[in-house]
Amino acid sequence: MGVIVSVGKQKAVLRRGEWRCADQTLERKLNEWTGQWLLSGQAPRLEEPDHELAVAREMAARLGGRILYRARTAPQRAVRDFFPKRQFRLAFPESE
């Protein structure tokens, strides 16, 4: 399932590495911040037993929110969902 976070009157759901929220601005902000945090080096290591919970805690803390609900996910699935987000994207110039 994932994690449900309350931010003010809004609720956001983190599932399979993506945030969903009725407020599109909040959803974009959460997904952007999550990606930046994962690349920052401050995020937990890949061995973290519950990546979704770690991400939800960080984003709730940034926004003054709280975690309302958490459903455990398989650790292998979490690694598969978050691993690509941890990869730096290199822009190589096209050769002519």
Side-chain angles (χ1 to χ4, degrees):
M1 166 65 191
V3 182
I4 299 174
V5 173
S6 173
V7 179
K9 293 183 179 184
Q10 297 293 325
K11 308 289 186 289
V13 177
L14 176 63
R15 183 172 183 272
R16 303 214 49 206
E18 294 292 326
W19 286 99
R20 298 287 184 247
C21 181
D23 180 335
Q24 293 297 305
T25 302
L26 178 58
E27 181 179 307
R28 272 193 301 277
K29 186 183 295 186
L30 284 167
N31 282 312
E32 181 180 318
W33 284 355
T34 296
Q36 291 170 353
W37 184 63
L38 290 171
L39 291 174
S40 73
Q42 297 174 356
R45 300 171 50 93
L46 285 173
E47 295 83 18
E48 169 71 28
D50 194 338
H51 288 271
E52 286 185 337
L53 182 60
V55 169
R57 280 184 180 147
E58 176 66 20
M59 296 306 121
R62 287 184 183 199
L63 293 168
R66 62 190 176 100
I67 295 173
L68 297 178
Y69 177 80
R70 168 186 166 226
R72 290 191 181 267
T73 56
Q76 302 87 349
R77 167 171 263 161
V79 169
R80 188 174 59 236
D81 292 339
F82 284 96
F83 184 77
K85 296 178 180 305
R86 292 174 172 265
Q87 302 304 302
F88 289 102
R89 289 151 188 86
L90 303 175
F92 292 103
E94 292 185 32
S95 56
E96 295 178 31

